[in-house]
Amino acid sequence: MTSEDCLFCRIVAGEIPAEVVHSTERTVAFRDLNPQAPTHVLVVPREHQPNAAALAAADPEAAAELIRTAAAVAVAEGHDDDYRLVFNTGERAGQTVFHAHLHVLGGRDFTWPPG
Ligand code: AMP
Ligand code: ZN
């Protein structure tokens, strides 16, 4: 997949609008279009990788920065201690966009196990 075909590569490149809330050298964080909680932000690596495991294998520092950015977003949104981070991997797990992304969800109670 090239960046022209990938929705999140195009958001990173500024070709498709998104509400960016945070950005770092290796990551961009923007609000999910279809939020599942009062705070629902996606943190994506600038580099295209199809999922979190591929990102961690190719660029461990970018994977770590994704999690650090997610924590910074949670704190900035007022959810210092209570938030959920999710990586969906594969269609059966609910992955619909095949550019690695970390969901940051906060602002409500969550149940376990997830659906
Ligand atoms: P996943 O199902 O884990 O692959 O997550 C993909 C997420 O991307 C979903 O929560 C969608 O609501 C979200 N999404 C899809 N298109 C956009 C967009 N253009 N801007 C922001 N979020 C999007
Ligand atoms: Zn991409």
Side-chain angles (χ1 to χ4, degrees):
M1 175 175 287
T2 66
S3 58
E4 293 94 77
D5 304 323
C6 173
L7 175 63
F8 289 173
C9 282
R10 297 190 69 192
I11 287 177
V12 167
E15 294 168 10
I16 291 178
E19 190 181 343
V20 174
V21 296
H22 200 91
S23 66
T24 68
E25 187 184 344
R26 297 179 186 81
T27 73
V28 179
F30 52 90
R31 293 199 192 282
D32 196 292
L33 210 55
N34 182 24
Q36 302 301 315
T39 294
H40 189 172
V41 170
L42 303 173
V43 189
V44 309
R46 292 181 183 276
E47 162 191 348
H48 180 88
Q49 292 293 339
N51 57 50
L55 178 68
D59 190 345
E61 184 51 33
E65 195 165 306
L66 213 64
I67 296 170
R68 286 196 296 270
T69 303
V73 167
V75 170
E77 300 275 320
H79 315 304
D80 305 41
D81 298 317
D82 295 282
Y83 56 90
R84 182 171 285 185
L85 302 184
V86 176
F87 286 114
N88 294 323
T89 300
E91 280 177 24
R92 287 192 70 196
Q95 188 177 5
T96 59
V97 178
F98 289 82
H99 176 129
H101 52 280
L102 179 51
H103 293 259
V104 184
L105 297 142
R108 65 169 172 85
D109 294 336
F110 295 98
T111 57
W112 193 263

